[in-house]
Amino acid sequence: GDSVTQMEGPVTLSEEAFLTINCTYTATGYPSLFWYVQYPGEGLQLLLKATKADDKGSNKGFEATYRKETTSFHLEKGSVQVSDSAVYFCALVRGSNYKLTFGKGTLLTVNP
Amino acid sequence: EAGVVQSPRYKIIEKKQPVAFWCNPISGHNTLYWYLQNLGQGPELLIRYENEEAVDDSQLPKDRFSAERLKGVDSTLKIQPAELGDSAVYLCASSYTDREAFFGQGTRLTVV
């Protein structure tokens, strides 16, 4: 079945550091890929998405590129802020049923 | 525009008691989802509705869980009787059929 594997957390960075959170997936066909963010006490929010190979999703300074050859969708940000502290989930959707398959999440803590 | 509204935000019950969660989706969204999020894990789909029809309930433990979506709008998820292992966050999401899902803040259930 479909699956998503994220790098283990927690990840702790200083403000303005570079962020990478690795995500790889297993799925047949051509899934759409997503990054969701969950701030403390809040629900999941869509951060960015990519629907086909080589697409780059971007939002709020975060970027991720859909790499079919490596089945990856790594999340990056050049300079993190304290307000980026949250749990980040990589997810995929395959087919028309729009069932999201999530990774386990990566907790990011950014210190001032 | 109002987002997905869930209530209650928090619920503490004793084991073997019943509990119900309510979800009001974004106006006009025909697809509604219930996800289960265990501590430290990504959300997992319990059930998906297209309008009032449950089109994917394969992951719903039907011996104790039930759900309904009357008139294709609001939805209720019920557990009867609750077990200790049901302690988790229950997330509701909605979307247009093939578009991105928007999540509510979730209901955190604690079974003691």
Side-chain angles (χ1 to χ4, degrees):
Chain A
D2 299 340
S3 67
V4 175
T5 303
Q6 293 181 232
M7 66 184 286
E8 293 284 330
V11 174
T12 303
L13 296 173
S14 297
E15 206 165 22
E16 299 184 0
F18 183 85
L19 169 70
T20 299
I21 300 178
N22 290 336
C23 171
T24 58
Y25 68 90
T26 300
T28 57
Y30 300 90
S32 295
L33 303 174
F34 304 83
W35 278 100
Y36 278 83
V37 59
Q38 189 171 35
Y39 297 103
E42 298 187 14
L44 290 164
Q45 300 176 25
L46 178 65
L47 180 59
L48 53 85
K49 66 179 180 181
T51 58
K52 61 182 186 295
D54 299 326
D55 269 2
K56 177 185 285 187
S58 61
N59 186 26
K60 300 181 180 179
F62 291 89
E63 293 183 340
T65 301
Y66 188 163
R67 301 289 188 196
K68 188 159 180 65
E69 63 275 15
T70 55
T71 62
S72 65
F73 193 55
H74 305 321
L75 182 68
E76 297 181 337
K77 187 174 185 183
S79 176
V80 294
Q81 304 300 312
V82 172
S83 57
D84 294 327
S85 298
V87 180
Y88 292 82
F89 292 93
C90 186
L92 69 81
V93 163
R94 184 175 57 83
S96 60
N97 64 12
Y98 217 82
K99 171 185 174 181
L100 283 159
T101 299
F102 286 90
K104 291 186 176 182
T106 302
L107 172 63
L108 169 67
T109 301
V110 180
N111 295 317
Chain B
E1 177 183 289
V4 177
V5 179
Q6 292 187 244
S7 69
R9 287 292 311 279
Y10 305 93
K11 188 74 177 179
I12 301 174
I13 61 170
E14 294 183 344
K15 62 182 180 182
K16 300 185 181 180
Q17 295 302 305
V19 64
F21 315 125
W22 175 80
C23 174
N24 177 239
I26 293 173
S27 178
H29 281 189
N30 59 329
T31 304
L32 184 145
Y33 315 76
W34 283 103
Y35 281 84
L36 166 67
Q37 185 177 16
N38 286 304
L39 185 65
Q41 302 293 315
E44 298 177 354
L45 181 69
L46 287 173
I47 189 168
R48 177 173 69 96
Y49 283 92
E50 292 285 347
N51 300 304
E52 64 274 11
E53 180 183 1
V55 296
D56 184 356
D57 62 355
S58 57
Q59 301 303 310
L60 188 72
K62 298 181 183 63
D63 56 335
R64 297 184 300 107
F65 286 65
S66 64
E68 60 182 9
R69 189 182 185 196
L70 299 177
K71 299 182 180 179
V73 182
D74 293 359
S75 178
T76 303
L77 178 68
K78 298 178 181 178
I79 307 175
Q80 182 171 13
E83 298 179 352
L84 295 176
D86 297 330
S87 295
V89 176
Y90 293 82
L91 296 167
C92 180
S94 71
S95 71
Y96 294 110
T97 301
D98 60 350
R99 304 291 179 85
E100 65 196 60
F102 292 83
F103 285 80
Q105 291 182 298
T107 296
R108 181 177 297 277
L109 173 67
T110 302
V111 182
V112 298

